[in-house]
Amino acid sequence: MSFDRMIEKIVEMQNPTVAGLDPKLAYIPPYILEEAVAEHGKTLEGAAAALVTYNKGLIDALCDIVPAVKPQAAYYEMYGWQGVRALAETIAYAQEKGMFVITDGKRNDIGATMEAYATAHLGTTDVLGEAVDAFGADALTVNGYLGTDGIKPLLGVCGEKDKGIFVLVKTSNPSSGELQDQKLESGKTVYEAMGAFCETWGEAVMGKYGYSGVGAVVGATYPAQLGEMREKAPHTFFLVPGYGAQGGGADDVVPAFDKNGLGAIINSSRGIMCAWQKEKCDEHDYAQAARREAIRMRDAFRARIGEIRLGE
Ligand SMILES: O=c1ccn([C@@H]2O[C@H](COP(=O)(O)O)[C@@H](O)[C@H]2O)c(=O)[nH]1
């Protein structure tokens, strides 16, 4: 009912990072694309087959050192239902390899529809009396701007199925301040108010290490806000995108961690997936290049936050 499973993996691997799986054909080594095209042609089926092969290679290379993966749904949806099937296959494969899976879907709607999203991504779908996991991720990113009735259905599923959600609080993009930094009548900023909601919503799904199953997305590109929110939302675990390709560095995200080195999981997607192109290494070495980058990232945090310990 919380992020306890994810926290335990972070501590076991001494690695507070998550590898983003946002595959585009431009990132995939030509030998994988050629094999997929030879079998399926230049079709959505072919693209989806390439995505799965590429992702499985990355997962195999990362699963013993990185606790979690974060597939962003848009990169699969762009390849139609075949791409969506690739997302489901990716989630299942990563879990088989012991990884915690955060589907980045940023879903939001009224309560009744959120119930459907909760069932689809985290829960179990009833098919005429048969209970089937549709996507079965461990956590989902959501948008909280529809308010409590949009979040409540997720809390039920999180409680029953030991899953978590990450609510958008202070996003990493350049324009995030246009709305999120606005001051409300209460004197709080919009992101601060959303962080306070996360603390309240999380009370229903509290874990044993001091963090609830309601986390927050806070960008690495806003270090001051990361530190501010760490103080103001002490029971809210942070998913921190914006490291690497968006310019956030290891020093920038240090304020996201608590005194035990917990409290945040830092995402890198393009930085890890495209490491082989940056290194200009042999295309067949793409997964090992990703592993080398993931180790560099892990070690950068180890050097800054020291040993990660279970709190409370
Ligand atoms: O505020 C946010 C929320 C989500 N994201 C997502 O994280 C990754 C970042 O990818 P990089 O390649 O490491 O930049 C991507 O899936 C975004 O959709 C974010 O960047 N910022």
Side-chain angles (χ1 to χ4, degrees):
M1 62 150 73
S2 60
F3 286 117
D4 289 354
R5 287 186 294 121
M6 182 182 79
I7 289 172
E8 285 160 6
K9 281 183 196 293
I10 289 172
V11 171
E12 182 195 319
M13 293 184 179
Q14 290 293 301
N15 186 0
T17 71
V18 45
L21 294 177
D22 299 359
K24 283 173 91 170
L25 297 187
Y27 306 158
I28 300 184
Y31 81 94
I32 294 180
L33 294 174
E34 282 156 20
E35 269 170 32
V37 168
E39 197 172 340
H40 304 283
K42 290 184 179 175
T43 59
L44 293 173
E45 196 83 52
L51 257 52
V52 171
T53 305
Y54 173 68
N55 282 353
K56 284 185 173 177
L58 291 173
I59 291 166
D60 287 343
L62 298 173
C63 63
D64 63 323
I65 53 161
V66 177
V69 286
K70 183 182 77 65
Q72 162 44 275
Y75 291 93
Y76 301 83
E77 289 165 3
M78 70 194 268
Y79 301 108
W81 64 260
Q82 295 90 338
V84 173
R85 191 175 61 192
L87 171 63
E89 276 184 63
T90 298
I91 293 169
Y93 191 73
Q95 288 175 332
E96 252 173 68
K97 296 283 172 174
M99 300 183 98
F100 189 89
V101 179
I102 303 164
T103 296
D104 194 352
K106 301 190 182 66
R107 301 299 141 124
N108 62 117
D109 213 309
I110 60 165
T113 306
M114 265 323 240
E115 204 171 317
Y117 276 134
T119 302
H121 291 282
L122 302 175
T124 304
T125 302
D126 177 78
V127 185
L128 305 171
E130 284 299 312
V132 187
D133 276 10
F135 288 100
D138 298 295
L140 177 70
T141 61
V142 300
N143 188 326
Y145 285 88
L146 272 79
T148 301
D149 66 81
I151 295 295
K152 251 190 170 161
L154 292 148
L155 301 181
V157 174
C158 290
E160 283 158 29
K161 303 269 295 177
D162 191 23
K163 307 283 173 99
I165 55 171
F166 287 102
V167 180
L168 297 179
V169 166
K170 172 66 185 165
T171 58
S172 65
N173 53 312
S175 322
S176 77
E178 287 175 359
L179 174 67
Q180 294 161 23
D181 292 0
Q182 291 282 327
K183 283 241 168 156
L184 300 168
E185 266 181 22
S186 62
K188 284 187 178 134
T189 57
V190 170
Y191 71 78
E192 213 184 321
M194 191 54 75
F197 275 120
C198 291
E199 285 281 298
T200 306
W201 292 328
E203 286 167 10
V205 284
M206 207 51 211
K208 52 185 175 187
Y209 305 119
Y211 288 100
S212 80
V214 178
V217 175
V218 188
T221 42
Y222 296 103
Q225 285 84 348
L226 269 173
E228 176 196 352
M229 292 314 296
R230 181 69 290 136
E231 270 185 32
K232 291 181 173 159
H235 306 102
T236 302
F237 210 94
F238 296 166
L239 168 63
V240 183
Y243 177 89
Q246 293 178 50
D251 289 330
D252 295 323
V253 301
V254 170
F257 295 100
D258 68 18
K259 63 180 186 332
N260 296 313
L262 278 173
I265 188 159
I266 318 301
N267 178 80
S268 173
S269 304
R270 285 166 289 180
I272 290 178
M273 287 185 303
C274 303
W276 72 277
Q277 292 172 326
K278 197 170 170 200
E279 275 188 17
K280 296 189 171 52
C281 68
D282 185 293
E283 56 174 317
H284 295 88
D285 196 30
Y286 83 95
Q288 287 307 311
R291 184 181 173 89
R292 288 191 285 277
E293 174 57 22
I295 288 173
R296 274 193 289 275
M297 189 178 168
R298 178 197 68 186
D299 291 349
F301 292 113
R302 282 189 180 174
R304 283 164 180 81
I305 62 174
E307 191 194 351
I308 306 171
R309 295 174 308 274
L310 292 175
E312 294 202 314

PDB file of all heavy atoms in Angstrom, residues 22 70 72 75 104 106 168 170-173 217 219 241-246 267-271 273, ligand 1:
ATOM      1  N   ASP A  22      11.888   5.373 -22.738  1.00  0.00           N
ATOM      2  CA  ASP A  22      11.112   6.220 -23.661  1.00  0.00           C
ATOM      3  C   ASP A  22      11.638   5.969 -25.067  1.00  0.00           C
ATOM      4  O   ASP A  22      12.293   6.824 -25.671  1.00  0.00           O
ATOM      5  CB  ASP A  22      11.314   7.703 -23.314  1.00  0.00           C
ATOM      6  CG  ASP A  22      10.857   8.064 -21.902  1.00  0.00           C
ATOM      7  OD1 ASP A  22      10.364   7.181 -21.177  1.00  0.00           O
ATOM      8  OD2 ASP A  22      11.005   9.237 -21.537  1.00  0.00           O
ATOM      9  N   LYS A  70      11.007   3.377 -15.738  1.00  0.00           N
ATOM     10  CA  LYS A  70       9.847   4.257 -15.926  1.00  0.00           C
ATOM     11  C   LYS A  70       9.542   4.373 -17.425  1.00  0.00           C
ATOM     12  O   LYS A  70      10.088   5.242 -18.104  1.00  0.00           O
ATOM     13  CB  LYS A  70      10.114   5.652 -15.343  1.00  0.00           C
ATOM     14  CG  LYS A  70       8.898   6.575 -15.447  1.00  0.00           C
ATOM     15  CD  LYS A  70       9.180   7.965 -14.913  1.00  0.00           C
ATOM     16  CE  LYS A  70       9.986   8.832 -15.833  1.00  0.00           C
ATOM     17  NZ  LYS A  70       9.304   9.176 -17.104  1.00  0.00           N
ATOM     18  N   GLN A  72       7.456   5.739 -20.340  1.00  0.00           N
ATOM     19  CA  GLN A  72       6.507   6.840 -20.544  1.00  0.00           C
ATOM     20  C   GLN A  72       5.552   6.383 -21.652  1.00  0.00           C
ATOM     21  O   GLN A  72       5.977   6.054 -22.762  1.00  0.00           O
ATOM     22  CB  GLN A  72       7.313   8.088 -20.860  1.00  0.00           C
ATOM     23  CG  GLN A  72       6.663   9.269 -21.511  1.00  0.00           C
ATOM     24  CD  GLN A  72       5.313   9.694 -21.006  1.00  0.00           C
ATOM     25  OE1 GLN A  72       4.313   9.135 -21.453  1.00  0.00           O
ATOM     26  NE2 GLN A  72       5.244  10.678 -20.134  1.00  0.00           N
ATOM     27  N   TYR A  75       5.455   7.190 -25.649  1.00  0.00           N
ATOM     28  CA  TYR A  75       6.421   6.633 -26.609  1.00  0.00           C
ATOM     29  C   TYR A  75       5.971   5.282 -27.147  1.00  0.00           C
ATOM     30  O   TYR A  75       6.549   4.770 -28.112  1.00  0.00           O
ATOM     31  CB  TYR A  75       7.810   6.522 -25.969  1.00  0.00           C
ATOM     32  CG  TYR A  75       8.409   7.889 -25.731  1.00  0.00           C
ATOM     33  CD1 TYR A  75       8.241   8.533 -24.512  1.00  0.00           C
ATOM     34  CD2 TYR A  75       9.075   8.560 -26.742  1.00  0.00           C
ATOM     35  CE1 TYR A  75       8.741   9.799 -24.294  1.00  0.00           C
ATOM     36  CE2 TYR A  75       9.579   9.832 -26.545  1.00  0.00           C
ATOM     37  CZ  TYR A  75       9.414  10.440 -25.321  1.00  0.00           C
ATOM     38  OH  TYR A  75       9.896  11.707 -25.116  1.00  0.00           O
ATOM     39  N   ASP A 104       4.663   6.053 -16.592  1.00  0.00           N
ATOM     40  CA  ASP A 104       4.504   7.501 -16.636  1.00  0.00           C
ATOM     41  C   ASP A 104       3.364   7.803 -17.607  1.00  0.00           C
ATOM     42  O   ASP A 104       3.569   7.859 -18.821  1.00  0.00           O
ATOM     43  CB  ASP A 104       5.822   8.142 -17.099  1.00  0.00           C
ATOM     44  CG  ASP A 104       5.859   9.634 -16.847  1.00  0.00           C
ATOM     45  OD1 ASP A 104       4.811  10.202 -16.462  1.00  0.00           O
ATOM     46  OD2 ASP A 104       6.933  10.235 -17.021  1.00  0.00           O
ATOM     47  N   LYS A 106       0.649  10.117 -16.502  1.00  0.00           N
ATOM     48  CA  LYS A 106       0.104  11.429 -16.101  1.00  0.00           C
ATOM     49  C   LYS A 106      -1.408  11.470 -16.310  1.00  0.00           C
ATOM     50  O   LYS A 106      -1.956  12.416 -16.880  1.00  0.00           O
ATOM     51  CB  LYS A 106       0.797  12.556 -16.850  1.00  0.00           C
ATOM     52  CG  LYS A 106       2.308  12.557 -16.593  1.00  0.00           C
ATOM     53  CD  LYS A 106       2.995  13.784 -17.103  1.00  0.00           C
ATOM     54  CE  LYS A 106       4.487  13.731 -16.882  1.00  0.00           C
ATOM     55  NZ  LYS A 106       5.188  12.696 -17.649  1.00  0.00           N
ATOM     56  N   LEU A 168       1.884  15.044 -10.031  1.00  0.00           N
ATOM     57  CA  LEU A 168       2.683  16.173 -10.533  1.00  0.00           C
ATOM     58  C   LEU A 168       2.609  17.332  -9.542  1.00  0.00           C
ATOM     59  O   LEU A 168       1.524  17.817  -9.226  1.00  0.00           O
ATOM     60  CB  LEU A 168       2.141  16.644 -11.886  1.00  0.00           C
ATOM     61  CG  LEU A 168       2.212  15.646 -13.036  1.00  0.00           C
ATOM     62  CD1 LEU A 168       1.607  16.258 -14.301  1.00  0.00           C
ATOM     63  CD2 LEU A 168       3.635  15.188 -13.290  1.00  0.00           C
ATOM     64  N   LYS A 170       5.821  19.859  -8.964  1.00  0.00           N
ATOM     65  CA  LYS A 170       6.608  20.937  -9.598  1.00  0.00           C
ATOM     66  C   LYS A 170       7.378  20.270 -10.742  1.00  0.00           C
ATOM     67  O   LYS A 170       8.374  19.577 -10.516  1.00  0.00           O
ATOM     68  CB  LYS A 170       7.562  21.555  -8.566  1.00  0.00           C
ATOM     69  CG  LYS A 170       8.554  22.553  -9.131  1.00  0.00           C
ATOM     70  CD  LYS A 170       7.902  23.818  -9.668  1.00  0.00           C
ATOM     71  CE  LYS A 170       8.943  24.730 -10.326  1.00  0.00           C
ATOM     72  NZ  LYS A 170       8.327  25.773 -11.156  1.00  0.00           N
ATOM     73  N   THR A 171       6.877  20.445 -11.950  1.00  0.00           N
ATOM     74  CA  THR A 171       7.424  19.694 -13.081  1.00  0.00           C
ATOM     75  C   THR A 171       8.733  20.316 -13.568  1.00  0.00           C
ATOM     76  O   THR A 171       9.048  21.472 -13.267  1.00  0.00           O
ATOM     77  CB  THR A 171       6.387  19.588 -14.223  1.00  0.00           C
ATOM     78  OG1 THR A 171       6.002  20.901 -14.619  1.00  0.00           O
ATOM     79  CG2 THR A 171       5.162  18.800 -13.769  1.00  0.00           C
ATOM     80  N   SER A 172       9.488  19.519 -14.339  1.00  0.00           N
ATOM     81  CA  SER A 172      10.869  19.909 -14.674  1.00  0.00           C
ATOM     82  C   SER A 172      10.965  20.872 -15.853  1.00  0.00           C
ATOM     83  O   SER A 172      12.017  21.434 -16.100  1.00  0.00           O
ATOM     84  CB  SER A 172      11.673  18.645 -15.013  1.00  0.00           C
ATOM     85  OG  SER A 172      11.166  18.040 -16.189  1.00  0.00           O
ATOM     86  N   ASN A 173       9.859  21.059 -16.590  1.00  0.00           N
ATOM     87  CA  ASN A 173       9.940  21.805 -17.855  1.00  0.00           C
ATOM     88  C   ASN A 173      10.114  23.307 -17.629  1.00  0.00           C
ATOM     89  O   ASN A 173       9.745  23.835 -16.572  1.00  0.00           O
ATOM     90  CB  ASN A 173       8.674  21.531 -18.698  1.00  0.00           C
ATOM     91  CG  ASN A 173       7.397  21.784 -17.934  1.00  0.00           C
ATOM     92  OD1 ASN A 173       7.245  21.324 -16.814  1.00  0.00           O
ATOM     93  ND2 ASN A 173       6.484  22.532 -18.508  1.00  0.00           N
ATOM     94  N   VAL A 217       5.959  14.300  -8.163  1.00  0.00           N
ATOM     95  CA  VAL A 217       6.965  14.569  -9.205  1.00  0.00           C
ATOM     96  C   VAL A 217       7.500  15.977  -8.960  1.00  0.00           C
ATOM     97  O   VAL A 217       6.730  16.944  -8.932  1.00  0.00           O
ATOM     98  CB  VAL A 217       6.338  14.485 -10.617  1.00  0.00           C
ATOM     99  CG1 VAL A 217       7.372  14.879 -11.681  1.00  0.00           C
ATOM    100  CG2 VAL A 217       5.790  13.087 -10.885  1.00  0.00           C
ATOM    101  N   GLY A 219      10.883  18.364 -10.252  1.00  0.00           N
ATOM    102  CA  GLY A 219      11.955  18.332 -11.249  1.00  0.00           C
ATOM    103  C   GLY A 219      13.342  18.647 -10.707  1.00  0.00           C
ATOM    104  O   GLY A 219      13.512  19.518  -9.850  1.00  0.00           O
ATOM    105  N   PRO A 241      12.425  13.808 -12.285  1.00  0.00           N
ATOM    106  CA  PRO A 241      12.912  13.811 -13.665  1.00  0.00           C
ATOM    107  C   PRO A 241      13.686  15.110 -13.922  1.00  0.00           C
ATOM    108  O   PRO A 241      13.658  16.028 -13.092  1.00  0.00           O
ATOM    109  CB  PRO A 241      11.615  13.780 -14.475  1.00  0.00           C
ATOM    110  CG  PRO A 241      10.620  14.476 -13.610  1.00  0.00           C
ATOM    111  CD  PRO A 241      11.059  14.353 -12.175  1.00  0.00           C
ATOM    112  N   GLY A 242      14.375  15.153 -15.062  1.00  0.00           N
ATOM    113  CA  GLY A 242      15.076  16.395 -15.410  1.00  0.00           C
ATOM    114  C   GLY A 242      16.573  16.288 -15.232  1.00  0.00           C
ATOM    115  O   GLY A 242      17.321  17.215 -15.551  1.00  0.00           O
ATOM    116  N   TYR A 243      17.020  15.103 -14.744  1.00  0.00           N
ATOM    117  CA  TYR A 243      18.458  14.859 -14.593  1.00  0.00           C
ATOM    118  C   TYR A 243      19.032  14.524 -15.975  1.00  0.00           C
ATOM    119  O   TYR A 243      18.404  13.843 -16.773  1.00  0.00           O
ATOM    120  CB  TYR A 243      18.663  13.670 -13.635  1.00  0.00           C
ATOM    121  CG  TYR A 243      20.108  13.258 -13.433  1.00  0.00           C
ATOM    122  CD1 TYR A 243      20.882  13.825 -12.429  1.00  0.00           C
ATOM    123  CD2 TYR A 243      20.690  12.295 -14.263  1.00  0.00           C
ATOM    124  CE1 TYR A 243      22.202  13.446 -12.244  1.00  0.00           C
ATOM    125  CE2 TYR A 243      22.014  11.912 -14.085  1.00  0.00           C
ATOM    126  CZ  TYR A 243      22.758  12.482 -13.070  1.00  0.00           C
ATOM    127  OH  TYR A 243      24.063  12.114 -12.898  1.00  0.00           O
ATOM    128  N   GLY A 244      20.241  15.014 -16.262  1.00  0.00           N
ATOM    129  CA  GLY A 244      20.905  14.612 -17.524  1.00  0.00           C
ATOM    130  C   GLY A 244      20.441  15.431 -18.704  1.00  0.00           C
ATOM    131  O   GLY A 244      20.764  16.621 -18.817  1.00  0.00           O
ATOM    132  N   ALA A 245      19.652  14.828 -19.574  1.00  0.00           N
ATOM    133  CA  ALA A 245      19.286  15.472 -20.850  1.00  0.00           C
ATOM    134  C   ALA A 245      18.636  16.853 -20.659  1.00  0.00           C
ATOM    135  O   ALA A 245      18.770  17.731 -21.509  1.00  0.00           O
ATOM    136  CB  ALA A 245      18.358  14.561 -21.643  1.00  0.00           C
ATOM    137  N   GLN A 246      17.921  17.068 -19.553  1.00  0.00           N
ATOM    138  CA  GLN A 246      17.271  18.377 -19.333  1.00  0.00           C
ATOM    139  C   GLN A 246      18.152  19.342 -18.544  1.00  0.00           C
ATOM    140  O   GLN A 246      17.727  20.438 -18.179  1.00  0.00           O
ATOM    141  CB  GLN A 246      15.931  18.183 -18.619  1.00  0.00           C
ATOM    142  CG  GLN A 246      14.900  17.467 -19.470  1.00  0.00           C
ATOM    143  CD  GLN A 246      13.591  17.241 -18.732  1.00  0.00           C
ATOM    144  OE1 GLN A 246      13.022  18.153 -18.148  1.00  0.00           O
ATOM    145  NE2 GLN A 246      13.121  15.998 -18.742  1.00  0.00           N
ATOM    146  N   ASN A 267      15.246  10.088 -12.035  1.00  0.00           N
ATOM    147  CA  ASN A 267      15.070   9.468 -13.359  1.00  0.00           C
ATOM    148  C   ASN A 267      16.066  10.011 -14.386  1.00  0.00           C
ATOM    149  O   ASN A 267      16.361  11.200 -14.437  1.00  0.00           O
ATOM    150  CB  ASN A 267      13.656   9.762 -13.868  1.00  0.00           C
ATOM    151  CG  ASN A 267      13.421   9.189 -15.253  1.00  0.00           C
ATOM    152  OD1 ASN A 267      13.154   7.989 -15.380  1.00  0.00           O
ATOM    153  ND2 ASN A 267      13.544   9.998 -16.297  1.00  0.00           N
ATOM    154  N   SER A 268      16.556   9.100 -15.219  1.00  0.00           N
ATOM    155  CA  SER A 268      17.229   9.522 -16.455  1.00  0.00           C
ATOM    156  C   SER A 268      16.713   8.623 -17.569  1.00  0.00           C
ATOM    157  O   SER A 268      16.788   7.397 -17.463  1.00  0.00           O
ATOM    158  CB  SER A 268      18.745   9.392 -16.318  1.00  0.00           C
ATOM    159  OG  SER A 268      19.351   9.650 -17.577  1.00  0.00           O
ATOM    160  N   SER A 269      16.206   9.212 -18.631  1.00  0.00           N
ATOM    161  CA  SER A 269      15.687   8.424 -19.755  1.00  0.00           C
ATOM    162  C   SER A 269      16.694   8.481 -20.909  1.00  0.00           C
ATOM    163  O   SER A 269      17.458   7.534 -21.128  1.00  0.00           O
ATOM    164  CB  SER A 269      14.314   8.946 -20.199  1.00  0.00           C
ATOM    165  OG  SER A 269      13.410   8.962 -19.114  1.00  0.00           O
ATOM    166  N   ARG A 270      16.731   9.613 -21.641  1.00  0.00           N
ATOM    167  CA  ARG A 270      17.640   9.688 -22.790  1.00  0.00           C
ATOM    168  C   ARG A 270      19.093   9.482 -22.384  1.00  0.00           C
ATOM    169  O   ARG A 270      19.873   8.876 -23.122  1.00  0.00           O
ATOM    170  CB  ARG A 270      17.478  11.048 -23.499  1.00  0.00           C
ATOM    171  CG  ARG A 270      16.225  11.143 -24.308  1.00  0.00           C
ATOM    172  CD  ARG A 270      15.931  12.568 -24.706  1.00  0.00           C
ATOM    173  NE  ARG A 270      15.517  13.392 -23.581  1.00  0.00           N
ATOM    174  CZ  ARG A 270      15.199  14.682 -23.656  1.00  0.00           C
ATOM    175  NH1 ARG A 270      15.258  15.309 -24.819  1.00  0.00           N
ATOM    176  NH2 ARG A 270      14.811  15.364 -22.588  1.00  0.00           N
ATOM    177  N   GLY A 271      19.475   9.966 -21.202  1.00  0.00           N
ATOM    178  CA  GLY A 271      20.873   9.832 -20.749  1.00  0.00           C
ATOM    179  C   GLY A 271      21.320   8.382 -20.726  1.00  0.00           C
ATOM    180  O   GLY A 271      22.455   8.055 -21.080  1.00  0.00           O
ATOM    181  N   MET A 273      19.303   5.625 -22.165  1.00  0.00           N
ATOM    182  CA  MET A 273      18.954   4.928 -23.413  1.00  0.00           C
ATOM    183  C   MET A 273      19.905   5.259 -24.554  1.00  0.00           C
ATOM    184  O   MET A 273      20.199   4.408 -25.393  1.00  0.00           O
ATOM    185  CB  MET A 273      17.544   5.365 -23.876  1.00  0.00           C
ATOM    186  CG  MET A 273      16.410   4.817 -23.074  1.00  0.00           C
ATOM    187  SD  MET A 273      14.853   5.318 -23.841  1.00  0.00           S
ATOM    188  CE  MET A 273      15.028   7.071 -23.861  1.00  0.00           C
TER     189      MET A 273
HETATM  190  O1  LIG B   1       8.121  17.063 -14.786  1.00  0.00           O
HETATM  191  C1  LIG B   1       8.326  16.092 -15.509  1.00  0.00           C
HETATM  192  C2  LIG B   1       7.529  14.973 -15.493  1.00  0.00           C
HETATM  193  C3  LIG B   1       7.865  13.901 -16.272  1.00  0.00           C
HETATM  194  N1  LIG B   1       8.934  13.930 -17.088  1.00  0.00           N
HETATM  195  C4  LIG B   1       9.244  12.714 -17.882  1.00  0.00           C
HETATM  196  O2  LIG B   1      10.507  12.191 -17.440  1.00  0.00           O
HETATM  197  C5  LIG B   1      11.274  11.748 -18.537  1.00  0.00           C
HETATM  198  C6  LIG B   1      12.513  12.588 -18.689  1.00  0.00           C
HETATM  199  O3  LIG B   1      13.278  12.142 -19.777  1.00  0.00           O
HETATM  200  P1  LIG B   1      14.801  12.609 -20.024  1.00  0.00           P
HETATM  201  O4  LIG B   1      15.116  11.984 -21.338  1.00  0.00           O
HETATM  202  O5  LIG B   1      15.628  12.060 -18.904  1.00  0.00           O
HETATM  203  O6  LIG B   1      14.793  14.082 -20.066  1.00  0.00           O
HETATM  204  C7  LIG B   1      10.338  11.800 -19.744  1.00  0.00           C
HETATM  205  O7  LIG B   1       9.653  10.564 -19.803  1.00  0.00           O
HETATM  206  C8  LIG B   1       9.364  12.898 -19.386  1.00  0.00           C
HETATM  207  O8  LIG B   1       8.121  12.720 -20.015  1.00  0.00           O
HETATM  208  C9  LIG B   1       9.714  15.034 -17.117  1.00  0.00           C
HETATM  209  O9  LIG B   1      10.731  15.101 -17.846  1.00  0.00           O
HETATM  210  N2  LIG B   1       9.400  16.082 -16.305  1.00  0.00           N
END
